[in-house]
Amino acid sequence: MNLKHWAAGSTIIGGISLAAAGVFGAFDTEPVPPGLSAAALWTPEPLILPQMEMQVPDVVAITPDPMPELRSPASPLMTLADVPSPTIESLLNTWSHEIAAGETLDAVLALAGFTATDRAEVSLALAAEFDLRRLRPGHTVDVVSTPGGQPRRVVLSVDDGVRIEATFGELMEARTIAPNPEQLTLAGTARIETSIFAALDEAGMPARFAVDLAQMLGGTVDFRRDLGGGETLRLMWREARVGEDLVGRPELAFAALELRDGLYEVAWPEDGTGRATIYLNGEVQRVFAQPVDGARLSSVFGRRVHPVFGNVRMHTGVDFAAAHGTPVRATAPGRVTFIGRRGGYGRVVEIAHGSDIMTRYAHLSAVPATLSIGRRVAAGDTIGQVGATGTATGPNLHYEVRIDGQPTDPLSDERLANAAELNVLEALALERLTEARTTLEKALADAAIEPTERL
């Protein structure tokens, strides 16, 4: 037992001695064996990691995030959702049709899926630039519409590369795209037996000019009383043509109507304002600006069956059917007194002409941003655009004249014309009349050599 205990103690003491020698060996000046010294200086080789960035340097260059693998996959989707989709236009439908024998534009537009209201609006827009009675087999209609069936663009392609394009949206625009049409001045003579419309149609002149004459002379001539039959009407107008085909609509330049009480003449300027001068026996009578150029008189002043409610009511003005967006002009100088909505009138502009006369322009689709209450306007200034706001069955202008608050017939009452300033000099007006008469005589002489084509 003692020997065993002594051996264990010796082992413990020896271990302690060896540990002490290891700790304090660093302070010993005795040289270390070379092998042990080399082993002490050994370090492991640096760990070479895979160079993933070097394999796709372009990704590293454009991605500032050093840890793209931690990015949420939902973030790109949220970013894309905030960007407006550029493919909305692709949702529009396109449709094309070639007109066959016996087909009308209304029937073709029905095939395109348009409602009766939209068909009427498209027809009015195209008719403002092209006489739809001249449609022939081979003409084509191209339609762009929304998925709901509303028109966005309608193009009528006729002869010689002429296209009539109507676009629809917040504003309507109709235009004729033609390859350099030829501008012509034409003239003709008609003998009135029953009505001006029938006389123009019989003479092969544009019958639509009867509306223009009704607007111009309605406050001066009573056509029912003063036309007894046998009167002579001479007209001069301007046309644009490509070959034998009419481009756009003809525009009146001069009219001369011989009645028992004298010679009535009307001269239209070429500046596009629609402002016309009326003469009686060579003297200036009045200056008048049409509210809508070339519009069709669709309803007159007086009692009528209301087109919406179906009962008999007093119609306090006259209606001019025209394409949506057609410019509406002031008929006389005045001051704007109201811009806004008035019940069934829809969007309205009202103009005061002196203290007792007011004109009202109703169912407007838009009013120029520059027009404001209190602003003075001249005859022929644009004060709105044709629309169908309020109680209306389609795009039209309701034009109303009130004197001392009471409605009066705009086509027969002369007081508005008397209130309007004659803003042309007498000498200039007479010079215009002389020039118009000379041009008319020359055009009539040319027409006698080459008869006017029936339109």
Side-chain angles (χ1 to χ4, degrees):
M1 290 293 293
N2 292 334
L3 181 60
K4 183 184 298 186
H5 292 163
W6 179 85
S10 299
T11 302
I12 295 171
I13 294 171
I16 295 173
S17 300
L18 291 173
V23 172
F24 295 101
F27 300 99
D28 194 352
T29 58
E30 184 177 351
V32 179
L36 183 58
S37 175
L41 296 175
W42 177 86
T43 58
E45 294 292 332
L47 181 62
I48 301 176
L49 298 174
Q51 299 298 316
M52 300 298 294
E53 299 85 357
M54 297 302 294
Q55 297 177 11
V56 285
D58 54 335
V59 175
V60 174
I62 64 172
T63 306
D65 191 345
M67 298 182 66
E69 67 279 4
L70 298 179
R71 184 175 298 170
S72 171
S75 297
L77 297 178
M78 294 176 63
T79 303
L80 291 175
D82 294 335
V83 179
S85 173
T87 59
I88 294 177
E89 279 296 320
S90 64
L91 298 177
L92 295 176
N93 301 321
T94 59
W95 184 82
S96 182
H97 180 80
E98 181 174 317
I99 295 177
E103 280 188 325
T104 63
L105 178 63
D106 187 73
V108 172
L109 296 177
L111 291 176
F114 289 163
T115 64
T117 300
D118 288 339
R119 296 201 303 271
E121 185 170 347
V122 171
S123 297
L124 280 171
L126 295 176
E129 295 292 323
F130 181 78
D131 186 351
L132 297 179
R133 294 175 299 177
R134 298 174 63 85
L135 282 176
R136 301 201 288 266
H139 293 172
T140 60
V141 177
D142 296 287
V143 170
V144 177
S145 60
T146 66
Q150 289 77 38
R152 282 293 173 262
R153 185 170 65 255
V154 178
V155 179
L156 174 62
S157 299
V158 292
D159 302 297
D160 296 316
V162 178
R163 295 184 299 126
I164 296 86
E165 180 180 86
T167 56
F168 305 86
E170 292 184 3
L171 297 177
M172 192 289 301
E173 180 183 4
R175 59 175 182 161
T176 298
I177 305 172
N180 299 322
E182 180 184 8
Q183 301 296 327
L184 301 176
T185 298
L186 304 176
T189 301
R191 184 178 176 84
I192 303 173
E193 297 296 345
T194 57
S195 68
I196 293 179
F197 184 92
L200 294 176
D201 188 56
E202 179 66 26
M205 294 188 285
R208 60 183 297 279
F209 289 157
V211 175
D212 297 319
L213 293 172
Q215 291 184 54
M216 292 299 102
L217 299 175
T220 305
V221 177
D222 186 337
F223 290 107
R224 300 178 202 174
R225 182 194 64 197
D226 297 335
L227 292 178
E231 291 82 9
T232 299
L233 174 64
R234 297 185 297 167
L235 298 181
M236 180 173 64
W237 67 96
R238 294 179 286 267
E239 290 184 359
R241 286 181 174 267
V242 174
E244 296 297 321
D245 294 313
L246 180 67
V247 178
R249 60 189 183 191
E251 296 182 352
L252 262 178
F254 184 68
L257 175 61
E258 297 180 15
L259 297 176
R260 287 187 296 270
D261 59 343
L263 173 63
Y264 291 88
E265 295 167 292
V266 186
W268 283 264
E270 298 185 26
D271 56 10
T273 62
R275 190 180 295 113
T277 305
I278 300 175
Y279 308 83
L280 174 59
N281 296 326
E283 296 184 358
V284 177
Q285 294 295 298
R286 58 185 287 203
V287 177
F288 181 81
Q290 300 177 155
V292 183
D293 287 347
R296 176 175 59 86
L297 185 63
S298 58
S299 184
V300 296
F301 180 88
R303 296 184 64 81
R304 65 166 186 175
V305 177
H306 195 281
V308 175
F309 301 109
N311 57 349
V312 177
R313 296 187 179 190
M314 179 66 184
H315 189 223
T316 55
V318 294
D319 293 343
F320 298 99
H324 189 281
T326 303
V328 174
R329 297 187 172 97
T331 57
R335 181 175 56 84
V336 177
T337 57
F338 180 82
I339 301 174
R341 290 181 175 267
R342 288 195 185 280
Y345 286 110
R347 185 176 286 111
V348 168
V349 170
E350 295 175 357
I351 300 174
H353 312 275
S355 60
D356 56 350
I357 300 178
M358 180 267 284
T359 54
R360 176 178 291 160
Y361 310 79
H363 303 318
L364 301 177
S365 62
V367 175
T370 56
L371 196 70
S372 59
I373 295 177
R375 178 175 175 176
R376 294 200 63 83
V377 295
D381 284 354
T382 298
I383 51 90
Q385 295 176 339
V386 170
T389 57
T391 307
T393 57
N396 75 98
L397 170 71
H398 173 87
Y399 173 62
E400 188 171 307
V401 176
R402 287 182 175 261
I403 298 179
D404 292 328
Q406 298 300 314
T408 185
D409 188 350
L411 299 182
S412 63
D413 198 292
E414 296 186 7
R415 283 171 287 184
L416 176 63
N418 294 333
E421 303 166 358
L422 293 179
N423 53 358
V424 292
L425 298 176
E426 190 77 15
L428 179 61
L430 295 177
E431 180 181 343
R432 179 187 299 173
L433 176 60
T434 301
E435 181 181 351
R437 286 174 173 175
T438 302
T439 307
L440 172 65
E441 295 300 329
K442 182 179 183 303
L444 286 173
D446 293 340
I449 299 173
E450 183 177 352
T452 303
E453 177 187 352
R454 185 180 181 87
L455 300 179

